[in-house]
Amino acid sequence: MQVQEFDQLLLEEQTITNYMVEGIILGYEFKIRYPFWRGTYLSCIEKLEVAIDREVLSQEDIFFTLNGKRFLMEELRAFYKEYWYVLEDATLTVIKKGGITKGFHEVAITLQHRIPYGRQPDGYRSVTNTITRTLMAE
Amino acid sequence: MKLGLCMDNFSDDFIARRASFGELVQRAAKLGYRGIEFTPAQMLSSHPEVSDEEVGLVREVLGKYHMEPFCWNVYLDTGAITGRELSENEIQKTMMKNLIYAKKAGFSLIKTSRDITPGIFQKMLTLCRDLDMKLAVEIEDLEPGDHDEGDVREFIRIIQGEGEGRAGLVLDMDLLMLPAADTGALWNMSFGIYIRPEVVLKNQDIIKGAAEAGYPGYLLCRNGRKASPDAQRQAEQFVKSCSRVLENNKKKIERIRKG
């Protein structure tokens, strides 16, 4: 099921910043939000795909940070006590030596998530939100 | 009969960070509402383990604007865990925690969906009595005759039996559209009824009918979470129309209630 109503929330206007450790650039990061009228549990995220300049990134190259904790993408499904509040930003950190080049980049996000209430005979609703934005990297 | 507002009507402004919870309660008060339905899954950052600090903030804001904390709206989220449903024990403990949070926030009623079974609903009554709280189940999409079928009949049996005065229903507006013969008894076991403003504005007789039937609970404005100027205007007109109908029929309604 595609839902466009909240797509704009998923990736808001912002600047991509390089991820630095002690002056060494290990990658880059930006923020995303949960695109719905209420929050959810990380376990309800069924798929989170990121493409930069039309190249889909490997899940293994991305960290997902929320509530002060850093998760691997493959771990998300297990965290049913970790809540993504609807006003809270999550940070996606992409591991890439040297970071991202300065200038504009096309960022595309696809988020597929399970709605954990209102079970139907065929299961819970699965919703997909997608958005593509051109963001500046500095 | 009192007029209330589901706070998630203001979702558009809340999630766009255009207005805080406090500003939205203030807006509801200005519109003329007397009570609110509150959804912690939307508005509390510490959900699902709600902090005393946030509970205190909710209580403080509602007190500041003289808004009755009418209904704490619980989503059981039975599908939160990947690969399995919540167990009966997990559902009971979710209800227990929310009864405690709601009590601390000053609410006297918690409501959930039919994801709760009649059996668990019944088991929660003991704690409701201990905490002096009321418990309701929401029945949506009610059609004529539905209240005599399946789990709805079982909920009603509990409400009219062991749960009398403590347990009840929260119904959607379809109830008001049903023939009076189907609805009279349900009105009196309902703590709240959701209604869309456009329905009231098109047919003010339904408010009159509810009042004349002696409906004692809340009419809760539910406009589909929109913040458009039209939706805001409708929410405002809803209060005015309901108030006008009730005022115009005050004496007649009192006569009917006295028999």
Side-chain angles (χ1 to χ4, degrees):
Chain A
M1 180 183 178
Q2 292 276 342
V3 171
Q4 296 180 358
E5 186 181 358
F6 299 108
D7 285 354
Q8 299 297 315
L9 290 176
L10 178 56
L11 183 68
E12 297 181 309
E13 286 294 339
Q14 61 191 292
T15 301
I16 304 172
T17 56
N18 277 322
Y19 170 54
M20 298 179 73
V21 177
E22 301 292 322
I24 302 161
I25 299 174
L26 292 185
Y28 57 93
E29 54 192 21
F30 53 91
K31 296 180 186 309
I32 61 171
R33 284 180 65 191
Y34 182 57
F36 202 48
W37 71 272
R38 51 156 282 190
T40 196
Y41 311 86
L42 292 191
S43 53
C44 291
I45 296 174
E46 297 179 328
K47 176 184 167 188
L48 176 52
E49 188 178 274
V50 182
I52 305 291
D53 298 327
R54 301 187 184 180
E55 183 185 341
V56 177
L57 304 182
S58 165
Q59 296 279 295
E60 294 175 3
D61 291 337
I62 305 171
F63 282 114
F64 181 101
T65 303
L66 182 75
N67 303 333
K69 297 164 201 164
R70 183 165 288 186
F71 303 94
L72 303 180
M73 298 290 266
E74 66 199 59
E75 291 175 326
L76 299 181
R77 287 180 146 230
F79 284 91
Y80 64 89
K81 293 260 181 180
E82 205 65 51
Y83 200 70
W84 193 357
Y85 177 47
V86 72
L87 298 185
E88 191 71 35
D89 291 327
T91 301
L92 295 184
T93 305
V94 180
I95 302 303
K96 187 184 179 193
K97 195 174 177 183
I100 194 167
T101 54
K102 286 184 181 177
F104 289 102
H105 294 272
E106 185 186 279
V107 181
I109 309 283
T110 300
L111 178 72
Q112 185 183 327
H113 51 110
R114 182 173 70 252
I115 307 300
Y117 59 86
R119 191 181 197 286
Q120 301 296 308
D122 57 346
Y124 292 94
R125 270 194 312 148
S126 185
V127 171
T128 302
N129 296 90
T130 59
I131 184 167
T132 301
R133 274 191 200 277
T134 301
L135 301 180
M136 169 71 88
E138 60 175 29
Chain B
M1 191 158 79
K2 289 186 264 190
L3 303 178
L5 181 76
C6 301
M7 287 303 286
D8 62 17
N9 282 1
F10 293 143
S11 289
D12 279 3
D13 281 343
F14 185 73
I15 63 179
R17 298 175 171 137
R18 286 191 292 264
S20 66
F21 170 62
E23 289 165 334
L24 295 176
V25 172
Q26 183 180 26
R27 188 187 299 175
K30 276 186 182 169
L31 284 169
Y33 292 101
R34 293 288 169 261
I36 61 153
E37 178 188 277
F38 179 76
T39 303
Q42 180 186 50
M43 292 192 156
L44 296 185
S45 64
S46 58
H47 178 85
E49 309 298 331
V50 178
S51 69
D52 282 350
E53 184 187 352
E54 277 204 301
V55 157
L57 183 66
V58 171
R59 191 173 189 134
E60 183 186 319
V61 166
L62 294 177
K64 182 177 177 183
Y65 297 107
H66 307 291
M67 188 66 77
E68 183 183 345
F70 167 58
C71 178
W72 183 272
N73 181 24
V74 178
Y75 280 78
L76 285 172
D77 293 338
T78 51
I81 301 175
T82 307
R84 71 166 175 88
E85 298 282 306
L86 290 192
S87 67
E88 181 172 324
N89 182 46
E90 286 167 328
I91 293 174
Q92 281 188 46
K93 294 304 183 294
T94 299
M95 291 299 294
M96 180 181 184
K97 286 191 291 186
N98 276 280
L99 274 163
I100 293 166
Y101 304 145
K103 178 76 178 178
K104 286 182 175 179
F107 288 75
S108 58
L109 168 70
I110 76 165
K111 182 219 79 177
T112 191
S113 67
R114 280 158 77 183
D115 285 336
I116 193 171
T117 61
I120 299 174
F121 186 78
Q122 188 165 14
K123 284 179 183 170
M124 298 315 300
L125 290 174
T126 303
L127 183 60
C128 288
R129 273 188 215 98
D130 292 345
L131 291 172
D132 191 23
M133 293 285 288
K134 290 180 177 172
L135 174 65
V137 61
E138 178 179 345
I139 308 292
E140 287 186 316
D141 305 323
L142 198 72
E143 299 287 344
D146 271 4
H147 59 279
D148 197 30
E149 288 180 5
D151 65 342
V152 178
R153 182 170 50 193
E154 191 57 18
F155 282 121
I156 289 174
R157 186 191 65 74
I158 295 163
I159 289 165
Q160 290 180 323
E162 187 187 341
E164 191 174 7
R166 181 71 56 194
L169 303 173
V170 174
L171 296 149
D172 71 13
M173 65 171 191
D174 290 348
L175 177 70
L176 296 169
M177 315 300 273
L178 295 178
D182 277 349
T183 60
L186 294 180
W187 268 331
N188 290 319
M189 67 177 89
S190 299
F191 296 130
I193 296 175
Y194 297 119
I195 190 155
R196 291 175 182 81
E198 64 269 26
V199 173
V200 171
L201 298 175
K202 279 183 193 161
N203 182 3
Q204 299 191 354
D205 281 350
I206 59 176
I207 300 301
K208 194 173 150 188
E212 288 180 357
Y215 170 63
Y218 261 94
L219 282 183
L220 290 160
C221 176
R222 186 187 248 181
N223 73 359
R225 303 167 186 151
K226 297 298 179 195
S228 69
D230 278 352
Q232 295 299 314
R233 208 173 303 120
Q234 279 187 343
E236 196 170 345
Q237 287 171 349
F238 170 81
V239 178
K240 285 181 183 166
S241 295
C242 292
S243 302
R244 195 183 315 121
V245 172
L246 292 175
E247 187 58 35
N248 290 345
N249 293 279
K250 207 172 180 179
K251 286 181 183 171
K252 186 179 173 188
I253 290 164
E254 279 171 11
R255 275 202 308 275
I256 290 168
R257 281 181 184 160
K258 286 174 185 168

